[in-house]
Amino acid sequence: MASSTVRVDLDGKPINQLTICMIGAGGFIGSHLCEKILNETQHKILALDVYNDKIKHLLEPDSLSWAGRIQFHRINIKHDSRLEGLIKMSDLTINLAAICTPADYNTRPLDTIYSNFVDALPVVKYCSENGKRLIHFSTCEVYGKTIGSFLPKDSPLRQDPAYYMLKEDASPCIFGSIEKQRWSYACAKQLIERLVYAEGAENGLEFTIVRPFNWIGPRMDFIPGVDGPSEGVPRVLACFSNALLRREPLKLVDGGESQRTFVYIKDAIEAVLLMIENPSRANGHIFNVGNPNNEVTVRQLAEMMTAVYANVSGEPALEKPTVDVSSKEFYGEGYDDSDKRIPDMTIINRQLGWNPKTSLWDLLDSTLTYQHKTYAEAIKKVMSQPTTS
Protein backbone atom coordinates (compact mmCIF):
# COMPACT_ATOMS: atom_id res chain seq x y z
CA MET A 1 0.00 0.00 0.00
CA ALA A 2 1.30 3.49 -0.90
CA SER A 3 2.71 5.40 2.04
CA SER A 4 1.07 8.68 3.09
CA THR A 5 4.45 10.16 3.99
CA VAL A 6 6.08 12.56 1.56
CA ARG A 7 8.31 10.68 -0.85
CA VAL A 8 11.43 12.31 -2.26
CA ASP A 9 13.49 11.76 -5.39
CA LEU A 10 17.19 10.94 -5.57
CA ASP A 11 18.05 14.61 -5.03
CA GLY A 12 15.88 14.91 -1.92
CA LYS A 13 13.07 16.87 -3.64
CA PRO A 14 9.41 15.99 -2.97
CA ILE A 15 7.84 13.80 -5.66
CA ASN A 16 4.66 15.29 -7.10
CA GLN A 17 1.68 13.11 -7.91
CA LEU A 18 1.63 12.24 -11.61
CA THR A 19 -1.03 11.08 -14.03
CA ILE A 20 0.59 8.42 -16.21
CA CYS A 21 -0.76 7.29 -19.57
CA MET A 22 0.53 3.71 -19.87
CA ILE A 23 0.17 2.21 -23.34
CA GLY A 24 0.38 -1.58 -23.19
CA ALA A 25 -0.52 -1.64 -19.49
CA GLY A 26 -2.17 -5.05 -19.80
CA GLY A 27 0.99 -6.89 -20.78
CA PHE A 28 3.76 -8.57 -18.83
CA ILE A 29 5.82 -5.46 -18.03
CA GLY A 30 2.79 -3.19 -17.75
CA SER A 31 1.06 -5.40 -15.19
CA HIS A 32 4.11 -5.40 -12.90
CA LEU A 33 4.66 -1.67 -13.36
CA CYS A 34 1.00 -0.93 -12.52
CA GLU A 35 1.31 -3.02 -9.35
CA LYS A 36 4.45 -1.17 -8.30
CA ILE A 37 2.99 2.28 -8.91
CA LEU A 38 -0.30 1.55 -7.16
CA ASN A 39 1.31 -0.15 -4.15
CA GLU A 40 4.14 2.29 -3.52
CA THR A 41 3.13 5.71 -4.88
CA GLN A 42 0.16 8.05 -5.18
CA HIS A 43 0.39 8.36 -8.96
CA LYS A 44 -2.66 7.83 -11.15
CA ILE A 45 -2.68 5.49 -14.15
CA LEU A 46 -4.64 5.68 -17.38
CA ALA A 47 -4.11 2.06 -18.46
CA LEU A 48 -4.44 1.56 -22.23
CA ASP A 49 -4.53 -1.85 -23.90
CA VAL A 50 -6.63 -4.20 -25.98
CA TYR A 51 -6.72 -6.79 -23.17
CA ASN A 52 -6.71 -6.46 -19.37
CA ASP A 53 -6.43 -10.10 -18.23
CA LYS A 54 -3.11 -9.54 -16.45
CA ILE A 55 -4.31 -6.46 -14.54
CA LYS A 56 -7.88 -7.51 -13.68
CA HIS A 57 -6.83 -7.97 -10.06
CA LEU A 58 -5.92 -4.26 -9.99
CA LEU A 59 -9.20 -3.03 -11.48
CA GLU A 60 -11.74 -4.60 -9.12
CA PRO A 61 -13.27 -4.41 -6.59
CA ASP A 62 -13.77 -0.75 -5.72
CA SER A 63 -12.72 -1.47 -2.13
CA LEU A 64 -9.04 -1.76 -3.14
CA SER A 65 -6.83 0.85 -1.51
CA TRP A 66 -5.94 2.35 -4.89
CA ALA A 67 -9.52 2.49 -6.21
CA GLY A 68 -9.90 5.60 -8.36
CA ARG A 69 -6.20 5.78 -9.19
CA ILE A 70 -6.34 3.42 -12.17
CA GLN A 71 -8.69 3.60 -15.14
CA PHE A 72 -8.66 1.00 -17.91
CA HIS A 73 -9.29 2.15 -21.49
CA ARG A 74 -9.72 -0.60 -24.08
CA ILE A 75 -7.84 0.94 -26.98
CA ASN A 76 -6.01 -0.24 -30.05
CA ILE A 77 -3.66 2.67 -30.70
CA LYS A 78 -3.64 1.94 -34.45
CA HIS A 79 -6.99 3.62 -34.96
CA ASP A 80 -8.47 5.29 -31.90
CA SER A 81 -9.16 9.00 -31.79
CA ARG A 82 -9.10 8.96 -27.97
CA LEU A 83 -5.32 8.45 -27.85
CA GLU A 84 -4.29 12.10 -28.12
CA GLY A 85 -6.84 13.19 -25.52
CA LEU A 86 -5.57 10.63 -23.00
CA ILE A 87 -1.97 11.72 -23.60
CA LYS A 88 -3.04 15.37 -23.10
CA MET A 89 -4.65 14.43 -19.75
CA SER A 90 -1.38 12.93 -18.51
CA ASP A 91 1.94 14.28 -17.23
CA LEU A 92 3.87 11.31 -18.59
CA THR A 93 3.29 8.70 -21.29
CA ILE A 94 4.93 5.27 -21.11
CA ASN A 95 4.79 3.30 -24.36
CA LEU A 96 5.12 -0.46 -23.87
CA ALA A 97 3.13 -1.52 -26.93
CA ALA A 98 5.00 -3.84 -29.30
CA ILE A 99 5.18 -7.12 -31.12
CA CYS A 100 8.20 -8.61 -29.37
CA THR A 101 8.18 -12.36 -29.98
CA PRO A 102 11.11 -13.66 -32.08
CA ALA A 103 8.93 -16.26 -33.79
CA ASP A 104 6.98 -13.37 -35.40
CA TYR A 105 9.92 -11.35 -36.69
CA ASN A 106 10.54 -13.34 -39.85
CA THR A 107 7.08 -14.90 -40.25
CA ARG A 108 5.13 -11.64 -39.74
CA PRO A 109 7.67 -8.97 -40.72
CA LEU A 110 5.06 -6.45 -41.91
CA ASP A 111 3.05 -6.67 -38.69
CA THR A 112 6.32 -6.42 -36.74
CA ILE A 113 7.44 -3.26 -38.57
CA TYR A 114 4.02 -1.60 -38.41
CA SER A 115 3.53 -2.40 -34.73
CA ASN A 116 6.96 -1.26 -33.57
CA PHE A 117 7.44 1.77 -35.83
CA VAL A 118 4.33 2.98 -37.65
CA ASP A 119 1.92 2.48 -34.74
CA ALA A 120 4.32 4.25 -32.38
CA LEU A 121 4.55 7.39 -34.54
CA PRO A 122 1.35 9.06 -33.23
CA VAL A 123 2.46 8.50 -29.62
CA VAL A 124 5.74 10.32 -30.23
CA LYS A 125 3.96 13.03 -32.22
CA TYR A 126 1.28 13.71 -29.59
CA CYS A 127 3.82 13.83 -26.76
CA SER A 128 6.03 16.24 -28.68
CA GLU A 129 3.22 18.53 -29.85
CA ASN A 130 1.60 18.70 -26.40
CA GLY A 131 4.78 19.08 -24.35
CA LYS A 132 4.35 15.73 -22.57
CA ARG A 133 7.21 13.62 -21.28
CA LEU A 134 7.70 10.18 -22.89
CA ILE A 135 9.33 6.99 -21.61
CA HIS A 136 9.65 4.78 -24.66
CA PHE A 137 10.40 1.07 -24.37
CA SER A 138 12.81 -0.16 -27.00
CA THR A 139 14.87 -3.38 -26.92
CA CYS A 140 18.40 -4.68 -26.52
CA GLU A 141 17.96 -6.12 -30.01
CA VAL A 142 18.78 -2.69 -31.48
CA TYR A 143 22.44 -3.56 -30.89
CA GLY A 144 22.20 -6.52 -33.26
CA LYS A 145 25.38 -8.56 -33.45
CA THR A 146 28.53 -7.87 -31.44
CA ILE A 147 31.77 -6.74 -33.06
CA GLY A 148 33.34 -9.85 -31.56
CA SER A 149 31.05 -12.14 -33.54
CA PHE A 150 32.92 -11.17 -36.73
CA LEU A 151 36.30 -12.17 -35.32
CA PRO A 152 37.82 -15.62 -35.91
CA LYS A 153 36.53 -18.24 -33.48
CA ASP A 154 39.96 -18.63 -31.90
CA SER A 155 40.71 -14.91 -31.61
CA PRO A 156 41.67 -13.90 -28.04
CA LEU A 157 39.92 -10.57 -28.69
CA ARG A 158 36.59 -12.39 -28.36
CA GLN A 159 37.25 -12.36 -24.60
CA ASP A 160 37.86 -8.60 -24.55
CA PRO A 161 34.78 -6.72 -23.24
CA ALA A 162 35.45 -3.96 -25.76
CA TYR A 163 34.29 -6.39 -28.47
CA TYR A 164 31.07 -7.60 -26.87
CA MET A 165 29.94 -5.27 -24.05
CA LEU A 166 26.96 -3.20 -25.26
CA LYS A 167 27.08 0.53 -24.42
CA GLU A 168 24.19 2.90 -25.07
CA ASP A 169 26.39 5.79 -26.23
CA ALA A 170 29.14 3.90 -28.06
CA SER A 171 28.20 0.47 -29.43
CA PRO A 172 27.29 0.24 -33.13
CA CYS A 173 24.04 -1.37 -34.27
CA ILE A 174 25.00 -4.28 -36.55
CA PHE A 175 22.24 -6.20 -38.31
CA GLY A 176 22.14 -9.05 -40.80
CA SER A 177 21.27 -8.82 -44.48
CA ILE A 178 17.84 -7.63 -45.62
CA GLU A 179 16.75 -11.16 -46.52
CA LYS A 180 17.20 -12.10 -42.86
CA GLN A 181 13.82 -10.73 -41.83
CA ARG A 182 14.47 -11.59 -38.21
CA TRP A 183 16.02 -8.09 -38.03
CA SER A 184 12.73 -6.39 -38.97
CA TYR A 185 12.01 -5.94 -35.25
CA ALA A 186 15.40 -4.48 -34.37
CA CYS A 187 15.36 -2.10 -37.36
CA ALA A 188 11.87 -0.84 -36.54
CA LYS A 189 12.82 -0.32 -32.89
CA GLN A 190 16.03 1.48 -33.82
CA LEU A 191 14.23 3.81 -36.22
CA ILE A 192 11.63 4.82 -33.63
CA GLU A 193 14.49 5.45 -31.17
CA ARG A 194 16.08 7.76 -33.73
CA LEU A 195 12.77 9.57 -34.21
CA VAL A 196 12.33 10.06 -30.45
CA TYR A 197 15.90 11.31 -30.16
CA ALA A 198 15.39 13.70 -33.10
CA GLU A 199 12.17 15.07 -31.56
CA GLY A 200 14.17 15.78 -28.43
CA ALA A 201 16.94 17.51 -30.35
CA GLU A 202 14.74 19.59 -32.66
CA ASN A 203 11.47 20.11 -30.78
CA GLY A 204 12.42 19.76 -27.11
CA LEU A 205 10.62 16.47 -26.41
CA GLU A 206 11.49 15.25 -22.91
CA PHE A 207 12.19 11.56 -23.34
CA THR A 208 13.80 8.48 -21.84
CA ILE A 209 14.48 5.33 -23.86
CA VAL A 210 14.58 1.93 -22.13
CA ARG A 211 16.47 -1.03 -23.61
CA PRO A 212 15.37 -4.17 -21.72
CA PHE A 213 17.72 -7.14 -21.64
CA ASN A 214 15.53 -10.22 -21.23
CA TRP A 215 13.21 -9.30 -18.36
CA ILE A 216 11.60 -12.45 -17.00
CA GLY A 217 9.16 -13.36 -14.26
CA PRO A 218 5.54 -14.30 -13.55
CA ARG A 219 2.93 -13.46 -16.22
CA MET A 220 5.49 -13.40 -19.04
CA ASP A 221 4.04 -14.20 -22.47
CA PHE A 222 1.63 -17.15 -22.59
CA ILE A 223 1.39 -20.91 -22.47
CA PRO A 224 0.24 -22.25 -25.88
CA GLY A 225 -3.18 -23.87 -25.77
CA VAL A 226 -3.99 -22.45 -22.32
CA ASP A 227 -3.93 -18.65 -22.47
CA GLY A 228 -2.48 -18.29 -25.95
CA PRO A 229 -2.82 -19.88 -29.40
CA SER A 230 -1.96 -23.58 -29.59
CA GLU A 231 0.38 -22.95 -32.51
CA GLY A 232 2.01 -19.93 -30.82
CA VAL A 233 5.72 -19.78 -30.06
CA PRO A 234 6.42 -17.51 -27.06
CA ARG A 235 9.84 -16.27 -25.95
CA VAL A 236 12.41 -18.59 -24.47
CA LEU A 237 11.27 -18.64 -20.83
CA ALA A 238 7.63 -19.37 -21.62
CA CYS A 239 8.66 -21.75 -24.39
CA PHE A 240 10.81 -23.79 -22.01
CA SER A 241 8.13 -23.54 -19.28
CA ASN A 242 5.56 -24.96 -21.66
CA ALA A 243 7.79 -27.94 -22.42
CA LEU A 244 8.48 -28.54 -18.71
CA LEU A 245 4.78 -28.40 -17.87
CA ARG A 246 4.02 -30.90 -20.64
CA ARG A 247 7.01 -33.09 -19.74
CA GLU A 248 8.48 -32.66 -23.21
CA PRO A 249 12.14 -32.08 -24.14
CA LEU A 250 13.20 -28.43 -24.29
CA LYS A 251 14.07 -27.45 -27.88
CA LEU A 252 17.51 -25.87 -28.25
CA VAL A 253 17.73 -23.79 -31.42
CA ASP A 254 21.05 -24.37 -33.20
CA GLY A 255 22.39 -26.13 -30.12
CA GLY A 256 21.47 -23.36 -27.66
CA GLU A 257 24.91 -21.77 -27.98
CA SER A 258 23.72 -18.13 -28.00
CA GLN A 259 24.57 -16.28 -24.78
CA ARG A 260 22.06 -14.09 -22.98
CA THR A 261 21.66 -12.24 -19.70
CA PHE A 262 18.41 -12.35 -17.71
CA VAL A 263 17.03 -9.92 -15.14
CA TYR A 264 14.10 -10.38 -12.74
CA ILE A 265 11.04 -8.29 -13.61
CA LYS A 266 10.78 -6.89 -10.07
CA ASP A 267 14.37 -5.62 -10.21
CA ALA A 268 13.77 -4.06 -13.63
CA ILE A 269 10.57 -2.32 -12.51
CA GLU A 270 12.55 -0.66 -9.69
CA ALA A 271 14.68 0.93 -12.42
CA VAL A 272 11.61 2.15 -14.33
CA LEU A 273 10.12 3.77 -11.21
CA LEU A 274 13.40 5.62 -10.70
CA MET A 275 13.12 6.93 -14.28
CA ILE A 276 9.51 8.01 -13.70
CA GLU A 277 10.28 9.92 -10.50
CA ASN A 278 13.67 11.41 -11.42
CA PRO A 279 13.10 13.20 -14.73
CA SER A 280 16.07 15.54 -14.24
CA ARG A 281 18.34 12.47 -14.12
CA ALA A 282 16.52 10.39 -16.74
CA ASN A 283 15.50 12.82 -19.48
CA GLY A 284 17.53 12.61 -22.66
CA HIS A 285 19.08 9.28 -21.71
CA ILE A 286 18.97 5.78 -23.14
CA PHE A 287 19.22 3.12 -20.43
CA ASN A 288 20.29 -0.51 -20.64
CA VAL A 289 18.27 -2.41 -18.03
CA GLY A 290 19.66 -5.90 -17.47
CA ASN A 291 21.81 -8.05 -15.24
CA PRO A 292 25.28 -8.83 -16.64
CA ASN A 293 25.90 -11.18 -13.70
CA ASN A 294 23.16 -13.52 -14.94
CA GLU A 295 24.83 -14.52 -18.21
CA VAL A 296 24.33 -18.07 -19.54
CA THR A 297 24.06 -19.88 -22.84
CA VAL A 298 20.53 -20.88 -23.81
CA ARG A 299 21.60 -24.50 -23.22
CA GLN A 300 22.71 -23.65 -19.68
CA LEU A 301 19.38 -21.85 -19.12
CA ALA A 302 17.54 -25.01 -20.19
CA GLU A 303 19.59 -27.11 -17.78
CA MET A 304 18.93 -24.71 -14.91
CA MET A 305 15.20 -24.52 -15.63
CA THR A 306 14.98 -28.31 -15.78
CA ALA A 307 16.65 -28.61 -12.36
CA VAL A 308 14.58 -25.82 -10.79
CA TYR A 309 11.30 -27.17 -12.15
CA ALA A 310 12.02 -30.68 -10.88
CA ASN A 311 12.45 -29.13 -7.43
CA VAL A 312 9.33 -26.97 -7.72
CA SER A 313 7.03 -29.68 -9.12
CA GLY A 314 8.42 -32.68 -7.27
CA GLU A 315 8.58 -34.54 -10.58
CA PRO A 316 11.85 -36.06 -11.84
CA ALA A 317 13.41 -34.54 -14.95
CA LEU A 318 13.14 -36.39 -18.24
CA GLU A 319 15.91 -38.83 -19.05
CA LYS A 320 16.62 -36.72 -22.15
CA PRO A 321 15.58 -33.18 -21.13
CA THR A 322 16.65 -31.32 -24.31
CA VAL A 323 16.63 -31.82 -28.06
CA ASP A 324 18.50 -29.83 -30.72
CA VAL A 325 16.58 -28.23 -33.60
CA SER A 326 17.72 -25.95 -36.41
CA SER A 327 16.64 -22.32 -36.48
CA LYS A 328 15.05 -22.93 -39.88
CA GLU A 329 12.98 -25.79 -38.46
CA PHE A 330 11.95 -23.82 -35.37
CA TYR A 331 11.52 -20.27 -36.73
CA GLY A 332 11.29 -20.74 -40.51
CA GLU A 333 13.24 -19.08 -43.32
CA GLY A 334 14.93 -15.75 -42.70
CA TYR A 335 16.02 -16.30 -39.11
CA ASP A 336 19.32 -14.96 -37.81
CA ASP A 337 20.63 -14.31 -34.32
CA SER A 338 23.10 -12.37 -32.23
CA ASP A 339 25.84 -14.26 -30.45
CA LYS A 340 25.63 -12.61 -27.02
CA ARG A 341 24.06 -9.61 -25.34
CA ILE A 342 25.72 -8.23 -22.23
CA PRO A 343 24.65 -4.75 -21.06
CA ASP A 344 27.09 -2.14 -19.87
CA MET A 345 25.52 -0.66 -16.72
CA THR A 346 27.61 2.49 -16.36
CA ILE A 347 24.99 5.06 -17.38
CA ILE A 348 22.04 3.74 -15.36
CA ASN A 349 24.25 3.26 -12.32
CA ARG A 350 25.64 6.79 -12.60
CA GLN A 351 22.30 8.53 -13.27
CA LEU A 352 19.92 6.49 -11.10
CA GLY A 353 22.14 4.44 -8.79
CA TRP A 354 20.37 1.27 -9.92
CA ASN A 355 21.79 -2.23 -9.83
CA PRO A 356 19.91 -5.55 -10.16
CA LYS A 357 19.80 -7.81 -7.10
CA THR A 358 18.25 -11.18 -7.97
CA SER A 359 20.35 -14.16 -9.04
CA LEU A 360 19.34 -16.25 -12.02
CA TRP A 361 18.60 -19.28 -9.83
CA ASP A 362 16.34 -17.25 -7.51
CA LEU A 363 14.41 -15.59 -10.30
CA LEU A 364 13.89 -18.93 -12.05
CA ASP A 365 12.66 -20.44 -8.78
CA SER A 366 10.14 -17.62 -8.30
CA THR A 367 8.99 -17.70 -11.93
CA LEU A 368 8.66 -21.47 -12.28
CA THR A 369 6.82 -21.71 -8.96
CA TYR A 370 4.28 -19.28 -10.42
CA GLN A 371 4.14 -21.17 -13.73
CA HIS A 372 3.54 -24.50 -11.96
CA LYS A 373 0.83 -23.14 -9.65
CA THR A 374 -0.89 -21.28 -12.49
CA TYR A 375 -0.69 -23.77 -15.36
CA ALA A 376 0.02 -27.34 -14.23
CA GLU A 377 -3.62 -28.41 -13.82
CA ALA A 378 -4.73 -26.53 -16.94
CA ILE A 379 -2.04 -28.26 -18.99
CA LYS A 380 -3.18 -31.68 -17.73
CA LYS A 381 -6.74 -30.90 -18.84
CA VAL A 382 -5.56 -29.75 -22.27
CA MET A 383 -3.41 -32.83 -22.72
CA SER A 384 -6.21 -35.17 -21.65
CA GLN A 385 -8.52 -33.91 -24.39
CA PRO A 386 -8.58 -35.93 -27.64
CA THR A 387 -6.79 -34.24 -30.52
CA THR A 388 -8.72 -33.42 -33.68
CA SER A 389 -7.40 -33.94 -37.16
Side-chain angles (χ1 to χ4, degrees), residues 102-211:
D104 292 326
Y105 302 162
N106 58 308
T107 57
R108 298 170 55 204
L110 285 176
D111 285 343
T112 299
I113 292 167
Y114 272 80
S115 172
N116 291 293
F117 177 67
V118 177
D119 295 349
L121 290 174
V123 178
V124 180
K125 177 175 180 283
Y126 296 150
C127 287
S128 185
E129 290 180 349
N130 292 288
K132 301 297 183 179
R133 185 177 169 223
L134 171 66
I135 294 180
H136 180 81
F137 271 69
S138 184
T139 170
C140 62
E141 295 228 3
V142 298
Y143 291 109
K145 303 185 179 190
T146 66
I147 297 172
S149 68
F150 294 91
L151 297 172
K153 294 281 188 185
D154 58 353
S155 172
L157 291 176
R158 278 179 168 259
Q159 306 306 314
D160 185 340
Y163 290 87
Y164 64 78
M165 191 69 75
L166 301 174
K167 300 182 178 182
E168 302 96 323
D169 56 351
S171 296
C173 302
I174 307 172
F175 302 145
S177 62
I178 295 299
E179 66 184 24
K180 299 294 187 182
Q181 296 206 82
R182 183 254 193 278
W183 299 108
S184 59
Y185 173 67
C187 286
K189 282 293 197 178
Q190 187 201 136
L191 188 54
I192 199 70
E193 276 198 29
R194 292 191 180 278
L195 181 77
V196 169
Y197 199 91
E199 282 286 355
E202 293 193 25
N203 297 322
L205 172 67
E206 293 187 356
F207 72 87
T208 301
I209 293 171
V210 185
R211 290 179 179 168

Side-chain angles (χ1 to χ4, degrees), residues 20-174:
I20 300 169
C21 176
M22 192 183 303
I23 301 168
F28 165 55
I29 295 174
S31 67
H32 286 275
L33 184 54
C34 284
E35 280 182 347
K36 181 81 169 175
I37 290 169
L38 294 173
N39 276 310
E40 298 184 17
T41 81
Q42 290 297 322
H43 306 317
K44 298 178 180 179
I45 302 171
L46 303 179
L48 281 57
D49 213 320
V50 179
Y51 305 105
N52 65 3
D53 301 36
K54 295 182 181 182
I55 57 170
K56 273 186 176 178
H57 63 294
L58 303 175
L59 301 175
E60 50 195 33
D62 291 337
S63 60
L64 292 169
S65 60
W66 52 74
R69 288 201 292 118
I70 181 169
Q71 297 175 7
F72 178 71
H73 298 264
R74 196 176 299 278
I75 284 181
N76 184 331
I77 63 170
K78 289 181 182 180
H79 43 67
D80 200 302
S81 59
R82 293 174 292 169
L83 178 61
E84 184 175 13
L86 290 165
I87 288 174
K88 281 183 176 181
M89 291 168 58
S90 306
D91 303 295
L92 164 69
T93 293
I94 300 175
N95 189 8
L96 294 156
I99 286 179
C100 53
T101 306
D104 292 326
Y105 302 162
N106 58 308
T107 57
R108 298 170 55 204
L110 285 176
D111 285 343
T112 299
I113 292 167
Y114 272 80
S115 172
N116 291 293
F117 177 67
V118 177
D119 295 349
L121 290 174
V123 178
V124 180
K125 177 175 180 283
Y126 296 150
C127 287
S128 185
E129 290 180 349
N130 292 288
K132 301 297 183 179
R133 185 177 169 223
L134 171 66
I135 294 180
H136 180 81
F137 271 69
S138 184
T139 170
C140 62
E141 295 228 3
V142 298
Y143 291 109
K145 303 185 179 190
T146 66
I147 297 172
S149 68
F150 294 91
L151 297 172
K153 294 281 188 185
D154 58 353
S155 172
L157 291 176
R158 278 179 168 259
Q159 306 306 314
D160 185 340
Y163 290 87
Y164 64 78
M165 191 69 75
L166 301 174
K167 300 182 178 182
E168 302 96 323
D169 56 351
S171 296
C173 302
I174 307 172

Side-chain angles (χ1 to χ4, degrees), residues 323-341:
V323 60
D324 289 358
V325 297
S326 70
S327 55
K328 181 179 179 180
E329 179 185 353
F330 193 80
Y331 289 118
E333 291 283 357
Y335 189 77
D336 197 9
D337 206 355
S338 54
D339 54 326
K340 62 196 299 177
R341 297 196 198 115

Side-chain angles (χ1 to χ4, degrees), residues 153-353:
K153 294 281 188 185
D154 58 353
S155 172
L157 291 176
R158 278 179 168 259
Q159 306 306 314
D160 185 340
Y163 290 87
Y164 64 78
M165 191 69 75
L166 301 174
K167 300 182 178 182
E168 302 96 323
D169 56 351
S171 296
C173 302
I174 307 172
F175 302 145
S177 62
I178 295 299
E179 66 184 24
K180 299 294 187 182
Q181 296 206 82
R182 183 254 193 278
W183 299 108
S184 59
Y185 173 67
C187 286
K189 282 293 197 178
Q190 187 201 136
L191 188 54
I192 199 70
E193 276 198 29
R194 292 191 180 278
L195 181 77
V196 169
Y197 199 91
E199 282 286 355
E202 293 193 25
N203 297 322
L205 172 67
E206 293 187 356
F207 72 87
T208 301
I209 293 171
V210 185
R211 290 179 179 168
F213 280 71
N214 298 300
W215 297 10
I216 61 177
R219 300 196 294 270
M220 182 178 182
D221 290 353
F222 59 91
I223 297 297
V226 178
D227 54 2
S230 297
E231 69 280 3
V233 182
R235 286 171 287 185
V236 65
L237 180 112
C239 205
F240 283 175
S241 296
N242 182 46
L244 290 167
L245 286 158
R246 295 173 184 269
R247 294 192 60 75
E248 298 172 353
L250 280 60
K251 294 180 179 179
L252 299 178
V253 176
D254 295 336
E257 296 308 310
S258 296
Q259 293 170 270
R260 295 290 184 267
T261 60
F262 297 90
V263 66
Y264 192 36
I265 183 65
K266 293 187 184 300
D267 288 351
I269 292 303
E270 291 274 1
V272 179
L273 187 59
L274 286 168
M275 296 174 206
I276 291 170
E277 298 187 331
N278 293 274
S280 64
R281 290 172 175 253
N283 282 346
H285 286 286
I286 300 171
F287 291 118
N288 289 340
V289 182
N291 189 339
N293 297 318
N294 285 346
E295 185 200 7
V296 288
T297 65
V298 175
R299 179 177 291 277
Q300 289 169 330
L301 177 69
E303 291 167 352
M304 288 184 71
M305 288 183 66
T306 299
V308 171
Y309 190 72
N311 185 55
V312 165
S313 66
E315 300 173 351
L318 295 178
E319 187 174 331
K320 187 180 179 184
T322 63
V323 60
D324 289 358
V325 297
S326 70
S327 55
K328 181 179 179 180
E329 179 185 353
F330 193 80
Y331 289 118
E333 291 283 357
Y335 189 77
D336 197 9
D337 206 355
S338 54
D339 54 326
K340 62 196 299 177
R341 297 196 198 115
I342 303 178
D344 181 273
M345 306 300 291
T346 304
I347 294 178
I348 194 167
N349 187 261
R350 182 189 69 217
Q351 293 299 120
L352 302 175

